[in-house]
Amino acid sequence: VRARGVLSRVISRMTNRVLVAALSLWAGHACSSRHQRKVLSRVVTRMTNMVITAALAHWVTQTSTFRRQRQVLSRVIALMTHRTISAALHRWIENHRELQRSRGVIAKVAARFRNKVISGAFLKWATDASESRRSGGILRRAAEKLMGRSV
C-alpha cells in the first residue's frame, strides 16, 4: 500500500511536471507570438508610413509640376494673346494709313476733276462771251446798216 502511495505520488509528480512543461511551453509560445505580433505590427506600420510618405512626396512633386506647367501655359497664352492683339493693331494702323492715302488720292483726283470742270466751264463762258461780243458787234453793224448809219 505504501508502494502504491509512493507510486501514485511519483506518477502525480511526473504528470505535474509534464503539465508544467506543457504550460511553460505554451506560455513561452504565447509570449513569443505576442512579441512577433508587436514586431510585425511595427514593420507593417513602418511600411505603411513609408508608402504614405512616398505617396505624399509624389503628390507634392506632381502638384508642383502642375503648378509650374499652369504658369508656363498662362505665360504662353498671354504671349499669344498679346501677339494676336498686336497683329490686329498693326493691321488696323496699316489699314488706316491706306485709307488716309486713298482719301488723299481721291481728293487729288476730285480736285483735278473739279479744276477740269471749272476750266471747261470758264472756257465755255469765255467762248460764249467772245461769241456774244462778236455776235453783238455783228448785230450792231447790221442794225446800223439797217438804220442807215455806216460803220
Side-chain angles (χ1 to χ4, degrees):
V1 172
R2 184 169 183 216
R4 211 180 227 190
V6 170
L7 188 57
S8 175
R9 279 192 299 242
V10 168
I11 290 177
S12 177
R13 280 185 189 157
M14 284 176 67
T15 304
N16 283 341
R17 280 185 188 161
V18 169
L19 286 176
V20 166
L23 183 60
S24 177
L25 184 65
W26 176 83
H29 181 68
C31 182
S32 176
S33 290
R34 276 193 304 270
H35 178 70
Q36 286 177 353
R37 260 191 251 129
K38 283 182 183 178
V39 169
L40 284 175
S41 175
R42 286 187 206 139
V43 168
V44 168
T45 301
R46 187 172 288 161
M47 290 175 72
T48 303
N49 287 340
M50 287 171 56
V51 168
I52 289 171
T53 301
L56 182 61
H58 180 71
W59 177 80
V60 167
T61 303
Q62 286 297 100
T63 302
S64 176
T65 302
F66 289 150
R67 186 173 291 136
R68 176 72 180 136
Q69 287 174 347
R70 189 179 312 130
Q71 290 172 347
V72 168
L73 285 175
S74 293
R75 287 182 189 152
V76 167
I77 289 170
L79 180 64
M80 290 172 65
T81 302
H82 290 141
R83 283 185 181 167
T84 302
I85 291 170
S86 177
L89 179 62
H90 286 298
R91 279 193 305 275
W92 181 85
I93 289 170
E94 287 302 316
N95 287 340
H96 181 71
R97 286 180 184 158
E98 180 63 24
L99 178 65
Q100 294 294 5
R101 191 189 70 72
S102 296
R103 284 181 180 167
V105 168
I106 289 171
K108 284 181 184 178
V109 168
R112 284 184 191 148
F113 182 73
R114 185 179 58 242
N115 288 339
K116 283 185 180 180
V117 168
I118 291 171
S119 176
F122 179 75
L123 287 176
K124 174 86 167 106
W125 174 80
T127 303
D128 286 350
S130 173
E131 185 64 32
S132 177
R133 267 187 263 133
R134 191 173 77 66
S135 295
I138 292 173
L139 286 177
R140 186 176 43 85
R141 277 188 245 133
E144 286 178 357
K145 276 187 185 182
L146 283 175
M147 296 182 80
R149 292 189 193 160
S150 73
V151 177

Short mmCIF file of all heavy atoms in Angstrom, two decimals, residues 74-141:
data_model
loop_
_atom_site.label_atom_id
_atom_site.label_comp_id
_atom_site.label_asym_id
_atom_site.label_seq_id
_atom_site.Cartn_x
_atom_site.Cartn_y
_atom_site.Cartn_z
N SER A 74 0.02 79.75 -68.86
CA SER A 74 -0.57 81.09 -68.74
C SER A 74 0.28 82.11 -69.46
O SER A 74 -0.24 83.00 -70.15
CB SER A 74 -0.71 81.47 -67.26
OG SER A 74 -1.66 80.66 -66.63
N ARG A 75 1.61 82.00 -69.30
CA ARG A 75 2.50 82.94 -69.99
C ARG A 75 2.41 82.77 -71.50
O ARG A 75 2.41 83.75 -72.25
CB ARG A 75 3.94 82.73 -69.53
CG ARG A 75 4.18 83.25 -68.14
CD ARG A 75 5.63 83.08 -67.74
NE ARG A 75 5.80 83.41 -66.33
CZ ARG A 75 6.72 82.89 -65.56
NH1 ARG A 75 7.58 82.01 -66.05
NH2 ARG A 75 6.82 83.24 -64.29
N VAL A 76 2.36 81.50 -71.96
CA VAL A 76 2.27 81.25 -73.40
C VAL A 76 0.97 81.82 -73.95
O VAL A 76 0.96 82.47 -75.00
CB VAL A 76 2.39 79.73 -73.69
CG1 VAL A 76 2.00 79.41 -75.12
CG2 VAL A 76 3.81 79.26 -73.40
N ILE A 77 -0.12 81.58 -73.25
CA ILE A 77 -1.42 82.10 -73.70
C ILE A 77 -1.41 83.62 -73.71
O ILE A 77 -1.90 84.25 -74.65
CB ILE A 77 -2.56 81.54 -72.81
CG1 ILE A 77 -2.75 80.05 -73.11
CG2 ILE A 77 -3.85 82.30 -73.04
CD1 ILE A 77 -3.68 79.33 -72.15
N ALA A 78 -0.83 84.23 -72.67
CA ALA A 78 -0.74 85.69 -72.63
C ALA A 78 0.10 86.21 -73.79
O ALA A 78 -0.27 87.19 -74.46
CB ALA A 78 -0.14 86.15 -71.30
N LEU A 79 1.22 85.54 -74.08
CA LEU A 79 2.08 85.95 -75.19
C LEU A 79 1.33 85.83 -76.51
O LEU A 79 1.37 86.74 -77.35
CB LEU A 79 3.34 85.09 -75.21
CG LEU A 79 4.34 85.40 -76.31
CD1 LEU A 79 4.91 86.80 -76.13
CD2 LEU A 79 5.47 84.38 -76.30
N MET A 80 0.62 84.70 -76.69
CA MET A 80 -0.13 84.52 -77.93
C MET A 80 -1.24 85.58 -78.06
O MET A 80 -1.46 86.11 -79.14
CB MET A 80 -0.72 83.11 -77.97
CG MET A 80 0.33 82.02 -78.16
SD MET A 80 -0.34 80.35 -78.00
CE MET A 80 -1.44 80.27 -79.39
N THR A 81 -1.89 85.86 -76.94
CA THR A 81 -2.95 86.88 -76.96
C THR A 81 -2.37 88.24 -77.31
O THR A 81 -2.93 88.97 -78.14
CB THR A 81 -3.64 86.93 -75.58
OG1 THR A 81 -4.17 85.64 -75.28
CG2 THR A 81 -4.76 87.95 -75.57
N HIS A 82 -1.22 88.58 -76.69
CA HIS A 82 -0.60 89.87 -76.99
C HIS A 82 -0.16 89.95 -78.44
O HIS A 82 -0.31 90.99 -79.08
CB HIS A 82 0.59 90.11 -76.06
CG HIS A 82 0.20 90.35 -74.64
ND1 HIS A 82 0.90 89.84 -73.58
CD2 HIS A 82 -0.84 91.01 -74.09
CE1 HIS A 82 0.31 90.19 -72.46
NE2 HIS A 82 -0.74 90.89 -72.74
N ARG A 83 0.38 88.84 -78.96
CA ARG A 83 0.78 88.84 -80.37
C ARG A 83 -0.42 89.03 -81.28
O ARG A 83 -0.35 89.75 -82.27
CB ARG A 83 1.50 87.54 -80.71
CG ARG A 83 2.92 87.51 -80.22
CD ARG A 83 3.64 86.27 -80.67
NE ARG A 83 5.01 86.26 -80.16
CZ ARG A 83 5.80 85.23 -80.18
NH1 ARG A 83 5.38 84.10 -80.71
NH2 ARG A 83 7.02 85.29 -79.69
N THR A 84 -1.52 88.36 -80.95
CA THR A 84 -2.74 88.48 -81.76
C THR A 84 -3.26 89.90 -81.72
O THR A 84 -3.60 90.48 -82.77
CB THR A 84 -3.81 87.50 -81.25
OG1 THR A 84 -3.30 86.17 -81.30
CG2 THR A 84 -5.08 87.60 -82.07
N ILE A 85 -3.31 90.48 -80.52
CA ILE A 85 -3.79 91.86 -80.38
C ILE A 85 -2.84 92.81 -81.10
O ILE A 85 -3.28 93.73 -81.79
CB ILE A 85 -3.94 92.22 -78.89
CG1 ILE A 85 -5.11 91.43 -78.29
CG2 ILE A 85 -4.16 93.71 -78.71
CD1 ILE A 85 -5.20 91.53 -76.78
N SER A 86 -1.55 92.58 -80.95
CA SER A 86 -0.56 93.44 -81.60
C SER A 86 -0.69 93.35 -83.12
O SER A 86 -0.66 94.37 -83.81
CB SER A 86 0.85 93.02 -81.18
OG SER A 86 1.81 93.78 -81.85
N ALA A 87 -0.85 92.14 -83.64
CA ALA A 87 -1.01 91.97 -85.09
C ALA A 87 -2.28 92.68 -85.57
O ALA A 87 -2.27 93.34 -86.62
CB ALA A 87 -1.05 90.49 -85.44
N ALA A 88 -3.36 92.55 -84.80
CA ALA A 88 -4.60 93.22 -85.17
C ALA A 88 -4.42 94.73 -85.17
O ALA A 88 -4.91 95.44 -86.07
CB ALA A 88 -5.72 92.81 -84.22
N LEU A 89 -3.72 95.24 -84.16
CA LEU A 89 -3.48 96.69 -84.08
C LEU A 89 -2.63 97.15 -85.26
O LEU A 89 -2.92 98.18 -85.88
CB LEU A 89 -2.80 97.03 -82.76
CG LEU A 89 -2.47 98.51 -82.55
CD1 LEU A 89 -3.75 99.34 -82.55
CD2 LEU A 89 -1.70 98.72 -81.26
N HIS A 90 -1.58 96.38 -85.60
CA HIS A 90 -0.74 96.75 -86.74
C HIS A 90 -1.54 96.72 -88.03
O HIS A 90 -1.37 97.61 -88.89
CB HIS A 90 0.48 95.84 -86.84
CG HIS A 90 1.51 96.11 -85.80
ND1 HIS A 90 2.17 97.31 -85.70
CD2 HIS A 90 1.99 95.35 -84.78
CE1 HIS A 90 3.01 97.28 -84.69
NE2 HIS A 90 2.91 96.09 -84.11
N ARG A 91 -2.41 95.72 -88.20
CA ARG A 91 -3.27 95.67 -89.39
C ARG A 91 -4.19 96.89 -89.43
O ARG A 91 -4.39 97.49 -90.49
CB ARG A 91 -4.10 94.38 -89.41
CG ARG A 91 -3.34 93.18 -89.92
CD ARG A 91 -4.26 92.00 -90.23
NE ARG A 91 -5.08 91.60 -89.10
CZ ARG A 91 -4.70 90.78 -88.14
NH1 ARG A 91 -3.51 90.25 -88.17
NH2 ARG A 91 -5.51 90.47 -87.15
N TRP A 92 -4.75 97.25 -88.28
CA TRP A 92 -5.64 98.41 -88.23
C TRP A 92 -4.87 99.68 -88.60
O TRP A 92 -5.36 100.51 -89.37
CB TRP A 92 -6.26 98.55 -86.83
CG TRP A 92 -7.19 99.72 -86.76
CD1 TRP A 92 -8.50 99.74 -87.11
CD2 TRP A 92 -6.86 101.04 -86.34
NE1 TRP A 92 -9.01 100.98 -86.93
CE2 TRP A 92 -8.03 101.81 -86.46
CE3 TRP A 92 -5.70 101.65 -85.89
CZ2 TRP A 92 -8.06 103.16 -86.14
CZ3 TRP A 92 -5.73 102.99 -85.57
CH2 TRP A 92 -6.90 103.74 -85.68
N ILE A 93 -3.64 99.83 -88.06
CA ILE A 93 -2.83 101.01 -88.38
C ILE A 93 -2.52 101.06 -89.87
O ILE A 93 -2.64 102.12 -90.51
CB ILE A 93 -1.53 101.01 -87.53
CG1 ILE A 93 -1.86 101.31 -86.07
CG2 ILE A 93 -0.53 102.02 -88.07
CD1 ILE A 93 -0.68 101.09 -85.12
N GLU A 94 -2.13 99.92 -90.44
CA GLU A 94 -1.85 99.88 -91.88
C GLU A 94 -3.10 100.19 -92.69
O GLU A 94 -3.03 100.93 -93.68
CB GLU A 94 -1.28 98.51 -92.27
CG GLU A 94 0.14 98.29 -91.81
CD GLU A 94 1.10 99.34 -92.33
OE1 GLU A 94 1.02 99.68 -93.54
OE2 GLU A 94 1.92 99.83 -91.54
N ASN A 95 -4.24 99.62 -92.28
CA ASN A 95 -5.49 99.91 -92.99
C ASN A 95 -5.84 101.39 -92.88
O ASN A 95 -6.32 102.00 -93.85
CB ASN A 95 -6.63 99.05 -92.44
CG ASN A 95 -6.52 97.61 -92.86
OD1 ASN A 95 -5.84 97.29 -93.82
ND2 ASN A 95 -7.17 96.72 -92.14
N HIS A 96 -5.61 101.97 -91.71
CA HIS A 96 -5.89 103.40 -91.51
C HIS A 96 -4.98 104.24 -92.41
O HIS A 96 -5.44 105.20 -93.04
CB HIS A 96 -5.69 103.76 -90.03
CG HIS A 96 -6.00 105.20 -89.74
ND1 HIS A 96 -7.27 105.70 -89.74
CD2 HIS A 96 -5.17 106.24 -89.45
CE1 HIS A 96 -7.22 106.99 -89.47
NE2 HIS A 96 -5.95 107.35 -89.29
N ARG A 97 -3.69 103.90 -92.46
CA ARG A 97 -2.75 104.62 -93.33
C ARG A 97 -3.19 104.49 -94.80
O ARG A 97 -3.14 105.48 -95.56
CB ARG A 97 -1.34 104.08 -93.16
CG ARG A 97 -0.71 104.52 -91.87
CD ARG A 97 0.70 103.97 -91.74
NE ARG A 97 1.26 104.33 -90.44
CZ ARG A 97 2.24 103.69 -89.87
NH1 ARG A 97 2.82 102.67 -90.47
NH2 ARG A 97 2.71 104.08 -88.69
N GLU A 98 -3.56 103.29 -95.19
CA GLU A 98 -4.00 103.07 -96.57
C GLU A 98 -5.26 103.88 -96.85
O GLU A 98 -5.40 104.46 -97.93
CB GLU A 98 -4.25 101.58 -96.81
CG GLU A 98 -4.71 101.23 -98.21
CD GLU A 98 -3.69 101.56 -99.29
OE1 GLU A 98 -2.47 101.63 -99.00
OE2 GLU A 98 -4.10 101.79 -100.44
N LEU A 99 -6.17 103.92 -95.89
CA LEU A 99 -7.40 104.72 -96.04
C LEU A 99 -7.05 106.19 -96.19
O LEU A 99 -7.61 106.88 -97.07
CB LEU A 99 -8.32 104.49 -94.84
CG LEU A 99 -9.62 105.28 -94.85
CD1 LEU A 99 -10.50 104.83 -96.01
CD2 LEU A 99 -10.36 105.09 -93.53
N GLN A 100 -6.12 106.69 -95.36
CA GLN A 100 -5.71 108.10 -95.45
C GLN A 100 -5.08 108.37 -96.81
O GLN A 100 -5.34 109.40 -97.45
CB GLN A 100 -4.73 108.45 -94.32
CG GLN A 100 -5.32 108.40 -92.94
CD GLN A 100 -6.39 109.46 -92.70
OE1 GLN A 100 -6.78 110.20 -93.58
NE2 GLN A 100 -6.89 109.50 -91.48
N ARG A 101 -4.20 107.46 -97.25
CA ARG A 101 -3.56 107.62 -98.55
C ARG A 101 -4.62 107.62 -99.66
O ARG A 101 -4.59 108.45 -100.56
CB ARG A 101 -2.56 106.49 -98.79
CG ARG A 101 -1.67 106.73 -100.00
CD ARG A 101 -0.84 105.52 -100.34
NE ARG A 101 -1.61 104.42 -100.88
CZ ARG A 101 -2.15 104.38 -102.09
NH1 ARG A 101 -2.03 105.39 -102.90
NH2 ARG A 101 -2.84 103.33 -102.50
N SER A 102 -5.58 106.68 -99.56
CA SER A 102 -6.65 106.61 -100.56
C SER A 102 -7.48 107.88 -100.55
O SER A 102 -7.84 108.39 -101.62
CB SER A 102 -7.55 105.41 -100.28
OG SER A 102 -6.84 104.21 -100.42
N ARG A 103 -7.75 108.41 -99.37
CA ARG A 103 -8.50 109.67 -99.29
C ARG A 103 -7.72 110.80 -99.95
O ARG A 103 -8.30 111.65 -100.64
CB ARG A 103 -8.81 110.02 -97.84
CG ARG A 103 -9.91 109.18 -97.25
CD ARG A 103 -10.19 109.58 -95.82
NE ARG A 103 -11.27 108.77 -95.25
CZ ARG A 103 -11.55 108.71 -93.98
NH1 ARG A 103 -10.86 109.41 -93.12
NH2 ARG A 103 -12.54 107.94 -93.56
N GLY A 104 -6.39 110.83 -99.73
CA GLY A 104 -5.56 111.85 -100.36
C GLY A 104 -5.59 111.72 -101.87
O GLY A 104 -5.72 112.72 -102.60
N VAL A 105 -5.47 110.49 -102.36
CA VAL A 105 -5.51 110.25 -103.81
C VAL A 105 -6.86 110.67 -104.37
O VAL A 105 -6.94 111.34 -105.41
CB VAL A 105 -5.20 108.77 -104.14
CG1 VAL A 105 -5.50 108.43 -105.59
CG2 VAL A 105 -3.75 108.45 -103.80
N ILE A 106 -7.92 110.27 -103.67
CA ILE A 106 -9.28 110.61 -104.13
C ILE A 106 -9.46 112.12 -104.12
O ILE A 106 -10.06 112.70 -105.04
CB ILE A 106 -10.34 109.89 -103.27
CG1 ILE A 106 -10.33 108.40 -103.58
CG2 ILE A 106 -11.73 110.47 -103.51
CD1 ILE A 106 -11.18 107.56 -102.64
N ALA A 107 -8.95 112.80 -103.09
CA ALA A 107 -9.06 114.27 -103.02
C ALA A 107 -8.32 114.91 -104.19
O ALA A 107 -8.82 115.86 -104.81
CB ALA A 107 -8.51 114.78 -101.69
N LYS A 108 -7.12 114.39 -104.54
CA LYS A 108 -6.37 114.94 -105.68
C LYS A 108 -7.13 114.71 -106.97
O LYS A 108 -7.23 115.60 -107.83
CB LYS A 108 -4.99 114.29 -105.76
CG LYS A 108 -4.01 114.80 -104.74
CD LYS A 108 -2.67 114.12 -104.90
CE LYS A 108 -1.69 114.55 -103.82
NZ LYS A 108 -0.40 113.86 -103.95
N VAL A 109 -7.66 113.49 -107.14
CA VAL A 109 -8.42 113.18 -108.35
C VAL A 109 -9.65 114.08 -108.44
O VAL A 109 -9.96 114.64 -109.51
CB VAL A 109 -8.81 111.69 -108.39
CG1 VAL A 109 -9.83 111.40 -109.49
CG2 VAL A 109 -7.57 110.82 -108.58
N ALA A 110 -10.33 114.24 -107.29
CA ALA A 110 -11.54 115.09 -107.28
C ALA A 110 -11.16 116.54 -107.59
O ALA A 110 -11.88 117.23 -108.33
CB ALA A 110 -12.23 114.99 -105.92
N ALA A 111 -10.03 117.01 -107.03
CA ALA A 111 -9.60 118.38 -107.30
C ALA A 111 -9.27 118.56 -108.78
O ALA A 111 -9.65 119.57 -109.40
CB ALA A 111 -8.38 118.72 -106.44
N ARG A 112 -8.54 117.59 -109.36
CA ARG A 112 -8.24 117.67 -110.80
C ARG A 112 -9.52 117.68 -111.62
O ARG A 112 -9.66 118.46 -112.57
CB ARG A 112 -7.36 116.49 -111.21
CG ARG A 112 -5.93 116.64 -110.79
CD ARG A 112 -5.09 115.50 -111.31
NE ARG A 112 -3.78 115.53 -110.68
CZ ARG A 112 -3.05 114.47 -110.41
NH1 ARG A 112 -3.52 113.28 -110.72
NH2 ARG A 112 -1.89 114.59 -109.85
N PHE A 113 -10.46 116.79 -111.27
CA PHE A 113 -11.72 116.72 -111.99
C PHE A 113 -12.49 118.05 -111.85
O PHE A 113 -12.98 118.59 -112.83
CB PHE A 113 -12.56 115.55 -111.47
CG PHE A 113 -13.86 115.37 -112.18
CD1 PHE A 113 -13.89 114.86 -113.49
CD2 PHE A 113 -15.06 115.72 -111.58
CE1 PHE A 113 -15.09 114.70 -114.14
CE2 PHE A 113 -16.25 115.56 -112.24
CZ PHE A 113 -16.27 115.05 -113.53
N ARG A 114 -12.52 118.56 -110.62
CA ARG A 114 -13.21 119.82 -110.36
C ARG A 114 -12.54 120.96 -111.14
O ARG A 114 -13.23 121.78 -111.76
CB ARG A 114 -13.19 120.13 -108.85
CG ARG A 114 -13.98 121.36 -108.46
CD ARG A 114 -13.97 121.62 -106.96
NE ARG A 114 -12.59 121.78 -106.47
CZ ARG A 114 -12.00 120.99 -105.59
NH1 ARG A 114 -12.66 119.98 -105.07
NH2 ARG A 114 -10.75 121.21 -105.22
N ASN A 115 -11.19 120.97 -111.13
CA ASN A 115 -10.48 122.02 -111.88
C ASN A 115 -10.75 121.91 -113.38
O ASN A 115 -10.90 122.93 -114.07
CB ASN A 115 -8.99 121.95 -111.59
CG ASN A 115 -8.67 122.44 -110.19
OD1 ASN A 115 -9.45 123.17 -109.59
ND2 ASN A 115 -7.51 122.04 -109.67
N LYS A 116 -10.81 120.66 -113.90
CA LYS A 116 -11.12 120.48 -115.32
C LYS A 116 -12.53 120.96 -115.63
O LYS A 116 -12.77 121.61 -116.65
CB LYS A 116 -10.96 119.01 -115.72
CG LYS A 116 -9.52 118.60 -115.90
CD LYS A 116 -9.41 117.19 -116.42
CE LYS A 116 -7.93 116.82 -116.58
NZ LYS A 116 -7.76 115.46 -117.08
N VAL A 117 -13.46 120.63 -114.71
CA VAL A 117 -14.85 121.07 -114.93
C VAL A 117 -14.91 122.60 -114.87
O VAL A 117 -15.54 123.24 -115.74
CB VAL A 117 -15.79 120.43 -113.89
CG1 VAL A 117 -17.16 121.09 -113.91
CG2 VAL A 117 -15.93 118.95 -114.15
N ILE A 118 -14.23 123.18 -113.86
CA ILE A 118 -14.24 124.65 -113.74
C ILE A 118 -13.55 125.28 -114.95
O ILE A 118 -14.04 126.26 -115.52
CB ILE A 118 -13.57 125.09 -112.42
CG1 ILE A 118 -14.44 124.69 -111.24
CG2 ILE A 118 -13.30 126.57 -112.39
CD1 ILE A 118 -13.76 124.88 -109.89
N SER A 119 -12.40 124.70 -115.35
CA SER A 119 -11.67 125.21 -116.51
C SER A 119 -12.53 125.11 -117.76
O SER A 119 -12.61 126.04 -118.57
CB SER A 119 -10.37 124.44 -116.68
OG SER A 119 -9.70 124.84 -117.83
N GLY A 120 -13.19 123.96 -117.90
CA GLY A 120 -14.08 123.78 -119.06
C GLY A 120 -15.22 124.77 -119.03
O GLY A 120 -15.57 125.36 -120.08
N ALA A 121 -15.79 124.99 -117.85
CA ALA A 121 -16.90 125.94 -117.74
C ALA A 121 -16.41 127.36 -118.05
O ALA A 121 -17.09 128.14 -118.73
CB ALA A 121 -17.49 125.88 -116.34
N PHE A 122 -15.19 127.68 -117.55
CA PHE A 122 -14.65 129.00 -117.81
C PHE A 122 -14.37 129.20 -119.29
O PHE A 122 -14.68 130.25 -119.87
CB PHE A 122 -13.36 129.21 -116.99
CG PHE A 122 -12.75 130.56 -117.23
CD1 PHE A 122 -13.31 131.70 -116.68
CD2 PHE A 122 -11.61 130.69 -118.04
CE1 PHE A 122 -12.74 132.95 -116.91
CE2 PHE A 122 -11.05 131.92 -118.26
CZ PHE A 122 -11.60 133.06 -117.69
N LEU A 123 -13.76 128.15 -119.93
CA LEU A 123 -13.51 128.25 -121.36
C LEU A 123 -14.82 128.38 -122.14
O LEU A 123 -14.89 129.14 -123.11
CB LEU A 123 -12.72 127.03 -121.84
CG LEU A 123 -11.24 126.99 -121.43
CD1 LEU A 123 -10.61 125.67 -121.89
CD2 LEU A 123 -10.48 128.16 -122.04
N LYS A 124 -15.80 127.64 -121.71
CA LYS A 124 -17.13 127.74 -122.38
C LYS A 124 -17.68 129.14 -122.20
O LYS A 124 -18.19 129.74 -123.15
CB LYS A 124 -18.07 126.69 -121.76
CG LYS A 124 -19.49 126.77 -122.26
CD LYS A 124 -19.66 125.98 -123.53
CE LYS A 124 -21.11 125.81 -123.84
NZ LYS A 124 -21.57 126.64 -124.94
N TRP A 125 -17.55 129.68 -120.99
CA TRP A 125 -18.04 131.04 -120.74
C TRP A 125 -17.25 132.05 -121.57
O TRP A 125 -17.81 132.95 -122.17
CB TRP A 125 -17.89 131.38 -119.25
CG TRP A 125 -18.24 132.81 -118.95
CD1 TRP A 125 -19.47 133.35 -118.79
CD2 TRP A 125 -17.31 133.89 -118.83
NE1 TRP A 125 -19.39 134.69 -118.56
CE2 TRP A 125 -18.05 135.05 -118.59
CE3 TRP A 125 -15.92 133.98 -118.92
CZ2 TRP A 125 -17.46 136.30 -118.41
CZ3 TRP A 125 -15.35 135.23 -118.73
CH2 TRP A 125 -16.10 136.37 -118.48
N ALA A 126 -15.92 131.86 -121.58
CA ALA A 126 -15.09 132.78 -122.35
C ALA A 126 -15.45 132.70 -123.84
O ALA A 126 -15.55 133.72 -124.53
CB ALA A 126 -13.61 132.46 -122.14
N THR A 127 -15.63 131.48 -124.32
CA THR A 127 -16.01 131.30 -125.73
C THR A 127 -17.37 131.92 -125.96
O THR A 127 -17.58 132.63 -126.97
CB THR A 127 -16.03 129.81 -126.08
OG1 THR A 127 -14.76 129.25 -125.80
CG2 THR A 127 -16.38 129.58 -127.54
N ASP A 128 -18.31 131.65 -125.06
CA ASP A 128 -19.66 132.21 -125.21
C ASP A 128 -19.63 133.73 -125.11
O ASP A 128 -20.33 134.43 -125.87
CB ASP A 128 -20.60 131.64 -124.15
CG ASP A 128 -20.98 130.20 -124.44
OD1 ASP A 128 -20.67 129.71 -125.54
OD2 ASP A 128 -21.56 129.53 -123.53
N ALA A 129 -18.79 134.27 -124.21
CA ALA A 129 -18.69 135.73 -124.07
C ALA A 129 -18.08 136.33 -125.33
O ALA A 129 -18.55 137.36 -125.84
CB ALA A 129 -17.84 136.09 -122.84
N SER A 130 -17.05 135.69 -125.85
CA SER A 130 -16.41 136.18 -127.08
C SER A 130 -17.40 136.10 -128.24
O SER A 130 -17.51 137.02 -129.05
CB SER A 130 -15.17 135.33 -127.36
OG SER A 130 -14.62 135.65 -128.60
N GLU A 131 -18.09 134.99 -128.29
CA GLU A 131 -19.10 134.81 -129.35
C GLU A 131 -20.20 135.84 -129.19
O GLU A 131 -20.68 136.40 -130.18
CB GLU A 131 -19.66 133.38 -129.27
CG GLU A 131 -20.63 133.01 -130.37
CD GLU A 131 -19.96 133.01 -131.75
OE1 GLU A 131 -18.77 132.71 -131.87
OE2 GLU A 131 -20.67 133.34 -132.71
N SER A 132 -20.56 136.08 -127.94
CA SER A 132 -21.62 137.06 -127.68
C SER A 132 -21.15 138.45 -128.10
O SER A 132 -21.91 139.21 -128.70
CB SER A 132 -21.98 137.04 -126.20
OG SER A 132 -22.94 138.01 -125.92
N ARG A 133 -19.89 138.80 -127.79
CA ARG A 133 -19.35 140.10 -128.20
C ARG A 133 -19.30 140.18 -129.71
O ARG A 133 -19.66 141.19 -130.32
CB ARG A 133 -17.94 140.30 -127.64
CG ARG A 133 -17.99 141.02 -126.32
CD ARG A 133 -16.60 141.37 -125.84
NE ARG A 133 -16.19 140.32 -124.88
CZ ARG A 133 -15.04 139.70 -124.87
NH1 ARG A 133 -14.10 140.01 -125.70
NH2 ARG A 133 -14.80 138.76 -123.99
N ARG A 134 -18.81 139.10 -130.32
CA ARG A 134 -18.74 139.09 -131.78
C ARG A 134 -20.15 139.19 -132.37
O ARG A 134 -20.39 139.98 -133.29
CB ARG A 134 -18.04 137.81 -132.25
CG ARG A 134 -17.70 137.84 -133.71
CD ARG A 134 -16.87 136.64 -134.10
NE ARG A 134 -17.56 135.39 -134.26
CZ ARG A 134 -18.46 135.12 -135.19
NH1 ARG A 134 -18.83 136.03 -136.03
NH2 ARG A 134 -19.01 133.94 -135.27
N SER A 135 -21.08 138.43 -131.82
CA SER A 135 -22.46 138.48 -132.32
C SER A 135 -23.06 139.86 -132.08
O SER A 135 -23.79 140.40 -132.92
CB SER A 135 -23.33 137.44 -131.63
OG SER A 135 -22.90 136.15 -131.96
N GLY A 136 -22.71 140.41 -130.90
CA GLY A 136 -23.22 141.76 -130.58
C GLY A 136 -22.69 142.78 -131.58
O GLY A 136 -23.41 143.68 -132.02
N GLY A 137 -21.41 142.63 -131.94
CA GLY A 137 -20.81 143.53 -132.91
C GLY A 137 -21.46 143.37 -134.27
O GLY A 137 -21.74 144.36 -134.98
N ILE A 138 -21.71 142.17 -134.69
CA ILE A 138 -22.34 141.90 -135.99
C ILE A 138 -23.75 142.45 -135.96
O ILE A 138 -24.19 143.12 -136.92
CB ILE A 138 -22.33 140.39 -136.30
CG1 ILE A 138 -20.90 139.91 -136.55
CG2 ILE A 138 -23.21 140.08 -137.50
CD1 ILE A 138 -20.78 138.41 -136.70
N LEU A 139 -24.46 142.18 -134.88
CA LEU A 139 -25.84 142.68 -134.78
C LEU A 139 -25.85 144.21 -134.77
O LEU A 139 -26.73 144.85 -135.36
CB LEU A 139 -26.52 142.11 -133.53
CG LEU A 139 -26.92 140.65 -133.62
CD1 LEU A 139 -27.50 140.20 -132.29
CD2 LEU A 139 -27.93 140.41 -134.72
N ARG A 140 -24.93 144.79 -134.09
CA ARG A 140 -24.86 146.26 -134.03
C ARG A 140 -24.59 146.81 -135.43
O ARG A 140 -25.24 147.77 -135.88
CB ARG A 140 -23.77 146.69 -133.05
CG ARG A 140 -23.73 148.17 -132.82
CD ARG A 140 -22.71 148.58 -131.79
NE ARG A 140 -21.40 147.95 -131.86
CZ ARG A 140 -20.39 148.36 -132.64
NH1 ARG A 140 -20.51 149.39 -133.40
NH2 ARG A 140 -19.25 147.72 -132.62
N ARG A 141 -23.65 146.23 -136.17
CA ARG A 141 -23.35 146.71 -137.53
C ARG A 141 -24.55 146.52 -138.43
O ARG A 141 -24.88 147.40 -139.26
CB ARG A 141 -22.15 145.98 -138.10
CG ARG A 141 -20.87 146.59 -137.62
CD ARG A 141 -19.67 146.00 -138.34
NE ARG A 141 -18.88 145.30 -137.32
CZ ARG A 141 -18.38 144.11 -137.41
NH1 ARG A 141 -18.53 143.39 -138.48
NH2 ARG A 141 -17.71 143.60 -136.42
#
